[in-house]
Amino acid sequence: QVHLVESGGGSVQAGGSLRLSCVASEFTICMGWFRQAPGKEPEGVAGIASVVNYTYYADSVKGRFTMSQDNAKKTLVLQMNSLKPEDTAMYYCGANGLCDYVNGRYRYSGQGTQVTVSS
């Protein structure tokens, strides 16, 4: 069982920034962030498989979002800049399982943190 706790969400205006954090009980073979807006399917945002040095970013966030990890603190961070209204969603941290970075499908996920971007 992997426990994940997200934080850092909030409400910002378009063009603003937010920094999301995910504290994990352990780092696993694959981890990432995905988001889900009301009435929509989950969408992968960013993912990492550190063992093979692979990082994924959705096209919609490339150049604006940056994911990093602090192994000592077991924390996965998502720095989000130049936010747009279409980034509004519940953001989740995920780990293990299918490791489907594109569709945001993982075996474990946290409770999520809400990001709201106003125009």
Side-chain angles (χ1 to χ4, degrees):
Q1 184 81 16
V2 179
H3 296 282
L4 306 163
V5 179
E6 304 95 335
S7 63
S11 297
V12 297
Q13 291 190 327
S17 298
L18 283 173
R19 183 180 176 88
L20 305 184
S21 295
C22 169
V23 178
S25 58
E26 60 183 279
F27 272 168
T28 64
I29 189 171
C30 69
M31 300 186 71
W33 290 92
F34 64 98
R35 63 189 181 187
Q36 187 168 20
K40 294 188 177 181
E41 293 294 316
E43 173 192 19
V45 174
I48 185 168
S50 56
V51 174
V52 294
N53 198 28
Y54 172 76
T55 304
Y56 164 83
Y57 289 99
D59 287 342
S60 58
V61 307
K62 280 182 181 176
R64 301 188 298 123
F65 291 11
T66 302
M67 183 176 60
S68 60
Q69 63 181 61
D70 184 328
N71 292 330
K73 296 181 180 179
K74 295 181 182 177
T75 301
L76 194 67
V77 174
L78 185 68
Q79 177 66 43
M80 307 188 296
N81 299 326
S82 302
L83 283 162
K84 304 175 181 180
E86 51 263 44
D87 294 319
T88 295
M90 186 72 80
Y91 282 70
Y92 299 89
C93 178
N96 268 6
L98 291 174
C99 301
D100 183 350
Y101 302 116
V102 175
N103 298 298
R105 296 173 65 188
Y106 299 88
R107 181 174 182 181
Y108 303 106
S109 62
Q111 81 290 348
T113 185
Q114 177 68 37
V115 171
T116 303
V117 184
S118 57
S119 58

